[in-house]
Amino acid sequence: MRIVAKDLTYTYNPKSPFASQALKGVDIVIEEGEFFGIIGHTGSGKSTFVQHLNALIKLTGGSLTVGDYDLSDKKCKFLELRSKVGMVFQYPEYQLFAETVEKDVMFGLKNFHKGMAEEEMKAAVKEAIGRVDLDYEDVKDKSPFELSGGQRRRVAIAGVIVTRPEILILDEPAAGLDPLGKKEIMQLLHAIHGSWCKTVVIVSHDMDEIAENCTRAAVFSEGKVVMEDTPAEIFKRSDELISLGLDIPVTAKCARVMKERGIEIDTDFTCDDFIAKTLALWKGQGGGNAQ
Ligand code: ADP
Ligand code: MG
């Protein structure tokens, strides 16, 4: 399912003294199969935008289609859409509430498939818990509160992918985790992308995460998309990102320092590529113990 937004606008509390226009004409296309990143300052409209994609926020201005679903159409099958576009909120582990992990994950399924047989549901729940790399037998009867923070986040993700959404959206999936936890979550999302959900969309303020993981990304600023491209092209424009008050990946920071010294590296800004290109250049110039 392809996502196409045109001139999307949204105002919170319209017609009140507290009106705040969060989206000011967002144009964006996310192709099926992408691992898409959404970057931007706090308050730039990222969360407001992604909540439109499964109609948690109803369209009030502009147009939005997700596959064949036209979200401007009042007759759009919103419940069906929500089962195909899964949304994992920021810190989703705080929204777990059932007594057991199994019941929590099943809750997501019951909402959408009321007629599904109990056995079939249990099988789907078991598969989803396995997919997030948790041991089903070990965790199914535990309270979510007995698990670690990282495990709880996995349970929350299982509760969303259990409906087998085609598109999985995650708002800051790695926020608040330690470096290893962040790496594991990103690895998990790639595994889900390869085997379970065709398209993954992540909101992130971590530029290294975007450089390392995304096929393409969009930069939000003040309710608009100001760049939409591959991370390699976006991070070439580091001056513009900095002037927007955004951070850049550590590889882009190094590239800037090297450029000041007259050395240009043609890199996609992933760490592996940056190191390989730097080493190749260094060896070519007889650096180190060249063999
Ligand atoms: P981001 O996710 O990029 O931080 P948001 O989409 O949350 O941005 O917010 C965009 C703008 O909308 C901000 O100015 C924010 O203050 C405002 N906003 C977000 N949520 C609400 C809300 N529930 N009520 C009123 N204003 C809101
Ligand atoms: Mg947000």
Side-chain angles (χ1 to χ4, degrees), residues 30-207:
I30 303 176
E31 300 291 347
E32 179 170 303
E34 292 203 89
F35 197 113
F36 198 89
I38 294 182
I39 328 172
H41 230 270
T42 303
S44 60
K46 306 180 298 292
S47 297
T48 306
F49 170 69
V50 294
Q51 287 176 59
H52 274 81
L53 299 178
N54 74 348
L56 280 170
I57 295 181
K58 287 279 168 71
L59 197 76
T60 54
S63 70
L64 177 62
T65 56
V66 178
D68 293 333
Y69 298 90
D70 177 354
L71 282 79
S72 65
D73 183 354
K74 294 221 160 38
K75 290 191 215 118
C76 178
K77 293 178 178 161
F78 290 112
L79 189 67
E80 198 180 284
L81 171 80
R82 286 196 190 117
S83 76
K84 294 187 179 175
V85 183
M87 176 80 60
V88 179
F89 292 103
Q90 253 179 289
Y91 298 101
E93 56 275 22
Y94 294 118
Q95 288 170 23
L96 302 175
F97 65 93
E99 310 124 65
T100 70
V101 166
E102 184 173 48
K103 283 185 183 163
D104 218 301
V105 176
M106 196 174 288
F107 181 79
L109 200 58
K110 278 191 172 155
N111 253 342
F112 295 109
H113 300 288
K114 297 207 163 61
M116 212 182 208
E118 186 80 11
E119 284 312 304
E120 209 181 329
M121 281 202 197
K122 281 204 165 173
V125 167
K126 184 176 176 182
E127 221 182 331
I129 291 175
R131 178 58 281 173
V132 297
D133 297 334
L134 291 172
D135 182 335
Y136 174 75
E137 294 302 333
D138 182 38
V139 300
K140 73 181 171 75
D141 297 322
K142 283 192 175 153
S143 155
F145 299 103
E146 289 174 58
L147 305 179
S148 74
Q151 286 174 325
R152 282 208 292 273
R153 191 166 296 185
R154 284 163 193 271
V155 172
I157 294 174
V160 173
I161 66 167
V162 69
T163 64
R164 292 201 163 255
E166 284 192 37
I167 300 174
L168 179 64
I169 300 162
L170 306 102
D171 201 343
E172 297 279 2
L177 300 178
D178 60 33
L180 183 62
K182 281 183 202 267
K183 199 173 164 195
E184 283 174 356
I185 278 282
M186 295 317 294
Q187 278 170 348
L188 173 64
L189 296 183
H190 280 292
I192 290 173
H193 184 228
S195 65
W196 199 289
C197 303
K198 287 184 187 152
T199 310
V200 171
V201 179
I202 60 167
V203 174
S204 177
H205 66 268
D206 183 329
M207 300 295 170

Side-chain angles (χ1 to χ4, degrees), residues 5-51:
K6 287 199 188 118
D7 201 21
L8 211 62
T9 55
Y10 188 77
T11 303
Y12 287 100
N13 311 313
K15 298 181 205 149
S16 93
F18 309 105
S20 116
Q21 190 174 7
L23 302 181
K24 299 179 179 166
V26 167
D27 291 303
I28 206 167
V29 177
I30 303 176
E31 300 291 347
E32 179 170 303
E34 292 203 89
F35 197 113
F36 198 89
I38 294 182
I39 328 172
H41 230 270
T42 303
S44 60
K46 306 180 298 292
S47 297
T48 306
F49 170 69
V50 294
Q51 287 176 59

